[in-house]
Amino acid sequence: MLLALLFIACLPPALSVPTCGKDHNDGYQVRLSIKTALGSDAYAWNPSEMFLFRATLAFAMRKVLQAQPFEVSNIVVCNETQRVSFWFIVTSPDDNTTLIPKATVERAVRESRKRINSAFLLSDKTLEFVGIHPTLATPIQPATPTWLIVFGVVMGAVCAGIVALLLSSFVQKRRRDRRKGQGDKDSGRGVTCDGLEGRDGVYNLSFSDDDRLTKL
Amino acid sequence: MDTAETDGPKTEERPKWDNKAQYLLTCIGFAVGLGNVWRFPYLCQIYGGGAFLIPYLIALVFEGLPLLYLELAIGQRLRMGSISVWNSISPYFGGVGVASQAVSFLVGLFYNTILAWVLWYFFHSFQEPLPWSQCPVIEDQTGYVPECEASTPVNYFWYRETLNISPNVETSGSLHWWLVVCLGAAWCIVYICFIRGIETIGKAVYVTATFPYLVLTIFLVRALTLPGATEGLRYLFTPKWEILENPQVWLDAATQIFFSLSLAFGGLIAFSSYNPEKNNCERDAVLVGCINSATSLYASIPIFAILGFKATSNYNSCLESNILALTNKFDIADQNMTIENYDSWMDYLTEMAPEQVAQLHLRECSLQTFLDQSASGTGLAFIVFTEAVIEMPGSQIWAVLFFVMLFSLGLSSMFGNLEGVLTPLLDLNLVPKWMPKELFTGLICLLSFSVALIFTLGSGNYWLEIFNSYVGSIPLLIIAFFEIVAVVFIYGIRRFSSDIEFMTGRRPNLYWRVCWMVISPLMLLVVFVAYIAVQVQSHPTYPAWDPEYEKFPLPWVQPYPDWVIAICVLLAGVPVLPIPLVALYQLVKFLISRQKRGSRHAPNNPYTNQAFEIKKIIITEEQHFLNIKI
């Protein structure tokens, strides 16, 4: 009886040792694509790199839950594959058996995402936390949209050109008119010509019609 | 032929080209337009690559060159714009000139709208990164705009941020200020080049006609070094001879040559009317025609190299996404599975775990499918090409170069369009004397800009396609047919040959005469009938961009509503209406005047000088008076 009771008493703690893996609710899967990101400069994934990962994650947790001193041992990793992918869960520093809920872990990862990425020389795409979508960067919006600036430059040049051409043709026309007006009055040798402005004709005195009917 | 020199604005003499090069460059610039870059390569691709060149060259030799020579020759001989030229040949054919003018005006409207779009893209090419390379994010930054996610960023930028297109042609939407502004800029640029007629055009054309060749060469050199370029070129030029049995190929080759040379717009007649009288227009015609076709061929090489590159990139990204999915699923080491060993891995995995592979729903990646995704027209320039440019390193420079090239190509064609509208008006003295030419040109540009505002509405793109299909096709065929009939049968081939002998120094040889008298009119008639037959076979439809469509992003092919079809018929019919109307008017005038002459039996005989008789009486009386006095 006592043995049974002892067994029953020992069961819950045994059951509550946190297990990580696919079936666990509070864990996250991580995938790293080091060769894709770095090509020939790729480093090999080894236990030291794993230690760095756990340390970085502990740092991220500390940033979010400032009261609790997370240690490397609080980040439990399992199911490592040669893809380089693994699962991890985060245990509470006060009590090894309690897990930090998924939402808090997600918040921690999101806030320190950039630091985690740069620790491994990777990016959001190549260091993937399955289930945590990266926040999309806001495209930089300059105060004046770029296209309006270019438009302003082009239109300014075109309008200046139009005004210049119109002015020059106007000036040319005036100069031509003025020259035409002067030419009538003075042909350059002191000879003046009168036009037939408004008159029907000039009576030509040298022409007489006396001898129209010749007397035979 | 006795040409009564109308005195009109010709108290000064007719403007002249500064030199032969300006004239040739202007004609080449008019002929070489956007169609050479975005229609010919597409036709080459869908009609069996190298095999298409055969119907194309046959159409050039038997239809394109004779018509081109004819237009240049009559313009040079009669030295007037299109309306006056046809009036001189025969008053009954004056309507041909009016029809040319109407078509030039309508085509100029939508052509400049395309240039406005090119300007819009050009302005945006200075942005880093290119705005069509990424989807915009929604406000809370958790995802991309759904319309953009469903299609591609390039499509989204074109249909939503540029056109802001409405879901169908009935929904007009409102005027889009950014398009209005770009349209205004485009018309201002056209105005500044046109401000003093051929004086300024002749200068502008040194740049606009030569720059595209420079850019095409730069693109050629760059494109041939891109990976996948050879795939595209091989795809383009591999001839599929059996396609020649399809009559549609011959029809499209004939229409392509015809529209590519910009015949029947009246612009070529106007340009050659500024030539000196004794100019070898035969050589000019052959030169312009051959350069136009050569440019089409030359342009298709970099275009297809770049499309091949784009297809290869798409194919590679498709494979990469499959590889990623498989690598993640089967926990294969990173980069163990690559594009090179993809096939062997796939075989291995499908053997080992077929259900798991099937579960992943991998995309079917086929290079051929990507190569088949062809496009012509605005789709090629603004969707396919812009997507290719993103992948190229230094994408902004390539985008800027490409859009400046498109703008130059279109601008030099706009010169011809506007010339076809303005020169007849100036020649007919419809311009009041007090109005300087600059003001008149400005008014025409302003009028065109106001009418073209319909293309800046939400449904503007749909209307542009309608204008493109109906105004820029059937009326031109009809006008060209009447042109050739008027010259060959009314004016007379003998008189025309004498004119050509006067201008070039020798009579046209057998080839030209046979083409003018028989082959070209016959070809035009056949092409016209076949074109109409193909059009009426099915109810016309159009692809609409509707995000609500269940198969979005595929375009929703909808039929045109009846009122739109009525407008299409009007657009095709009204420009050619002047031809019968003017002929009828002249006939009625002739009949009335003959009737009036018949009712008087002392006609206006110029030899009876009634004033002389009256004067004689007066002198005799005076003389009598003087005699008495003396």
Side-chain angles (χ1 to χ4, degrees):
Chain A
M1 184 64 182
L2 211 60
L3 257 158
L5 276 171
L6 202 61
F7 178 65
I8 292 169
C10 287
L11 206 52
L15 281 175
S16 69
V17 165
T19 52
C20 89
K22 210 178 299 191
D23 320 306
H24 217 285
N25 269 344
D26 283 323
Y28 274 107
Q29 187 182 22
V30 181
R31 286 196 199 118
L32 287 98
S33 312
I34 308 173
K35 284 217 193 83
T36 317
L38 300 169
S40 47
D41 297 326
Y43 49 82
W45 187 259
N46 50 37
S48 318
E49 304 283 348
M50 181 57 86
F51 180 81
L52 178 59
F53 177 79
R54 294 165 68 200
T56 326
L57 220 50
F59 157 76
M61 295 305 300
R62 280 203 191 197
K63 261 183 88 173
V64 155
L65 300 173
Q66 271 147 14
Q68 308 182 30
F70 282 89
E71 294 295 331
V72 175
S73 48
N74 293 122
I75 317 290
V76 178
V77 166
C78 63
N79 287 0
E80 201 176 324
T81 65
Q82 61 161 353
R83 161 78 178 83
V84 191
S85 74
F86 47 84
W87 287 81
F88 74 92
I89 49 170
V90 184
T91 57
S92 166
D94 310 319
D95 176 13
N96 240 349
T97 52
T98 24
L99 287 178
I100 305 289
K102 206 164 173 174
T104 324
V105 176
E106 181 174 338
R107 197 160 45 104
V109 167
R110 270 193 202 277
E111 276 190 30
S112 314
R113 190 64 186 263
K114 237 178 146 186
R115 299 290 294 272
I116 303 175
N117 284 353
S118 54
F120 292 93
L121 307 172
L122 297 173
S123 68
D124 279 349
K125 262 182 76 181
T126 39
L127 173 54
E128 194 189 342
F129 284 84
V130 178
I132 306 181
H133 297 295
T135 341
L136 304 164
T138 350
I140 316 162
Q141 290 273 13
T144 345
T146 326
W147 77 272
L148 275 179
I149 300 178
V150 185
F151 167 76
V153 167
V154 168
M155 274 307 278
V158 167
C159 289
I162 291 179
V163 167
L165 281 173
L166 284 176
L167 273 180
S168 79
S169 59
F170 179 66
V171 161
Q172 255 181 30
K173 200 154 163 259
R174 258 232 308 245
R175 213 178 286 154
R176 215 186 316 140
D177 283 343
R178 212 178 298 141
R179 217 183 298 134
K180 221 192 298 176
Q182 284 173 352
D184 270 352
K185 296 291 172 264
D186 186 358
S187 62
R189 283 211 196 108
V191 177
T192 52
C193 324
D194 291 325
L196 269 178
E197 285 101 25
R199 286 176 282 178
D200 283 339
V202 179
Y203 190 55
N204 188 349
L205 291 164
S206 60
F207 176 76
S208 64
D209 51 3
D210 278 354
D211 32 84
R212 178 168 306 266
L213 295 176
T214 50
K215 299 190 194 59
L216 271 170
Chain B
M1 170 154 193
D2 219 323
T3 63
E5 288 283 359
T6 47
D7 269 319
K10 271 52 139 211
T11 33
E12 58 216 59
E13 53 172 49
R14 195 172 183 78
K16 283 201 303 263
W17 297 109
D18 286 345
N19 51 48
K20 183 81 179 281
Q22 273 188 5
Y23 163 65
L24 279 178
L25 281 177
T26 312
C27 288
I28 291 173
F30 183 33
V32 172
L34 295 170
N36 294 68
V37 165
W38 71 29
R39 179 114 177 107
F40 177 79
Y42 168 75
L43 287 177
C44 226
Q45 182 198 350
I46 61 170
Y47 287 136
F52 180 70
L53 289 176
I54 295 184
Y56 184 71
L57 288 174
I58 291 179
L60 174 69
V61 164
F62 289 112
E63 188 193 349
L65 288 180
L67 278 169
L68 187 59
Y69 187 17
L70 188 111
E71 288 208 0
L72 292 182
I74 52 173
Q76 190 174 301
R77 183 71 187 95
L78 300 175
R79 303 172 66 69
M80 290 186 281
S82 64
I83 297 185
S84 324
V85 150
W86 298 111
N87 261 335
S88 310
I89 288 187
S90 158
Y92 292 98
F93 276 83
V96 175
V98 179
S100 290
Q101 193 183 24
V103 170
S104 287
F105 177 71
L106 289 173
V107 169
L109 289 180
F110 75 79
Y111 209 82
N112 219 22
T113 311
I114 299 180
L115 290 188
W117 293 339
V118 170
L119 269 186
W120 165 263
Y121 269 80
F122 167 70
F123 294 147
H124 278 86
S125 305
F126 289 93
Q127 202 168 316
E128 160 78 29
L130 290 172
W132 54 82
S133 60
Q134 324 161 320
C135 278
V137 296
I138 51 182
E139 294 97 50
D140 55 359
Q141 293 187 16
T142 54
Y144 297 117
V145 171
E147 189 181 344
C148 189
E149 282 247 53
S151 61
T152 61
V154 175
N155 273 328
Y156 180 77
F157 185 74
W158 168 236
Y159 285 109
R160 190 54 51 209
E161 296 197 21
T162 307
L163 298 176
N164 198 12
I165 205 166
S166 57
N168 51 43
V169 73
E170 290 120 320
T171 332
S172 297
S174 56
L175 285 178
H176 298 315
W177 68 269
W178 58 94
L179 287 180
V180 172
V181 147
C182 288
L183 188 66
W187 277 108
C188 281
I189 296 181
V190 169
Y191 177 56
I192 194 182
C193 294
F194 230 90
I195 209 169
R196 285 210 206 133
I198 62 167
E199 198 186 315
T200 37
I201 292 179
K203 311 272 184 330
V205 100
Y206 282 126
V207 173
T208 61
T210 52
F211 189 70
Y213 290 97
L214 179 66
V215 175
L216 278 176
T217 314
I218 296 177
F219 264 107
L220 181 71
V221 169
R222 180 68 186 108
L224 288 177
T225 60
L226 289 170
T230 39
E231 292 296 330
L233 286 176
R234 196 181 318 150
Y235 182 69
L236 170 68
F237 286 119
T238 314
K240 300 188 200 67
W241 302 107
E242 60 276 1
I243 211 130
L244 291 178
E245 296 163 19
N246 180 3
Q248 182 76 19
V249 181
W250 296 87
L251 177 64
D252 275 338
T255 45
Q256 171 61 16
I257 254 296
F258 184 80
F259 302 137
S260 177
L261 285 171
S262 309
L263 299 166
F265 279 94
L268 288 169
I269 298 179
F271 286 143
S272 61
S273 71
Y274 301 121
N275 267 342
E277 281 215 319
K278 304 238 186 198
N279 173 50
N280 189 351
C281 48
E282 177 180 4
R283 207 176 44 190
D284 297 340
V286 173
L287 204 62
V288 171
C290 291
I291 288 184
N292 180 55
S293 298
T295 309
S296 296
L297 271 172
Y298 186 59
S300 42
I301 301 178
I303 298 278
F304 265 88
I306 291 180
L307 290 183
F309 160 72
K310 172 180 170 298
T312 312
S313 316
N314 284 355
Y315 175 65
N316 285 346
S317 347
C318 178
L319 282 182
E320 295 277 353
S321 68
N322 281 358
I323 288 176
L324 191 64
L326 287 169
T327 315
N328 285 344
K329 180 82 177 173
F330 292 103
D331 285 322
I332 311 168
D334 188 30
Q335 291 295 320
N336 255 10
M337 185 177 187
T338 59
I339 296 179
E340 286 84 23
N341 54 29
Y342 177 77
D343 292 317
S344 47
W345 266 104
M346 270 301 284
D347 295 333
Y348 172 66
L349 287 173
T350 1
E351 235 185 84
M352 289 273 293
E355 339 74 42
Q356 293 197 25
V357 172
Q359 248 178 15
L360 286 173
H361 298 294
L362 295 174
R363 285 171 62 189
E364 267 296 319
C365 295
S366 146
L367 185 58
Q368 197 60 30
T369 331
F370 287 116
L371 282 170
D372 281 335
Q373 278 172 3
S374 57
S376 78
T378 51
L380 177 74
F382 299 123
I383 298 181
V384 171
F385 209 82
T386 43
E387 196 176 328
V389 149
I390 303 174
E391 312 280 337
M392 293 162 69
S395 21
Q396 271 144 321
I397 307 177
W398 302 113
V400 167
L401 274 180
F402 178 66
F403 290 116
V404 175
M405 175 186 80
L406 283 188
F407 192 74
S408 317
L409 284 171
L411 192 64
S412 49
S413 299
M414 270 306 290
F415 293 154
N417 278 329
L418 215 54
E419 189 72 22
V421 173
L422 281 175
T423 310
L425 291 176
L426 289 172
D427 285 339
L428 284 176
N429 302 329
L430 288 175
V431 186
K433 287 285 190 304
W434 51 269
M435 200 187 274
K437 193 158 71 164
E438 290 88 351
L439 180 61
F440 183 63
T441 315
L443 284 176
I444 297 276
C445 287
L446 194 64
L447 174 70
S448 310
F449 166 71
S450 336
V451 180
L453 284 176
I454 36 170
F455 300 120
T456 57
L457 293 170
S459 51
N461 191 34
Y462 302 130
W463 285 110
L464 197 130
E465 286 302 317
I466 291 174
F467 268 68
N468 192 14
S469 320
Y470 291 98
V471 172
S473 57
I474 298 173
L476 292 173
L477 289 170
I478 300 178
I479 293 172
F481 180 74
F482 278 105
E483 280 188 2
I484 209 169
V485 157
V487 171
V488 169
F489 298 110
I490 310 291
Y491 189 68
I493 195 82
R494 213 160 306 186
R495 242 196 315 183
F496 190 52
S497 303
S498 316
D499 285 337
I500 291 184
E501 191 179 3
F502 169 69
M503 289 192 292
T504 66
R506 59 177 182 283
R507 297 182 84 85
N509 59 31
L510 186 66
Y511 153 69
W512 295 114
R513 281 181 304 181
V514 168
C515 282
W516 285 329
M517 291 200 294
V518 179
I519 303 185
S520 300
L522 209 62
M523 267 185 93
L524 277 176
L525 205 59
V526 168
V527 166
F528 174 66
V529 169
Y531 200 88
I532 300 270
V534 165
Q535 290 285 321
V536 301
Q537 254 170 28
S538 55
H539 193 101
T541 57
Y542 68 103
W545 180 264
D546 189 355
E548 312 290 321
Y549 183 45
E550 64 257 7
K551 289 205 220 132
F552 185 76
L554 290 176
W556 190 359
V557 177
Q558 298 194 39
Y560 281 124
D562 288 330
W563 62 276
V564 172
I565 300 225
I567 293 187
C568 298
V569 170
L570 277 179
L571 279 176
V574 165
V576 293
L577 221 52
I579 301 182
L581 282 181
V582 167
L584 211 65
Y585 169 72
Q586 293 286 352
L587 186 67
V588 165
K589 222 169 71 165
F590 172 69
L591 289 175
I592 288 181
S593 69
R594 203 163 58 162
Q595 200 188 32
K596 241 193 260 170
R597 246 183 283 146
S599 63
R600 249 194 296 180
H601 59 131
N604 295 332
N605 188 344
Y607 293 104
T608 59
N609 187 351
Q610 304 186 315
F612 174 72
E613 281 166 5
I614 294 170
K615 196 72 192 285
K616 216 163 70 178
I617 294 168
I618 292 174
I619 287 175
T620 330
E621 278 183 353
E622 196 180 278
Q623 199 57 36
H624 178 69
F625 176 69
L626 278 172
N627 268 342
I628 292 171
K629 223 180 164 174
I630 289 170

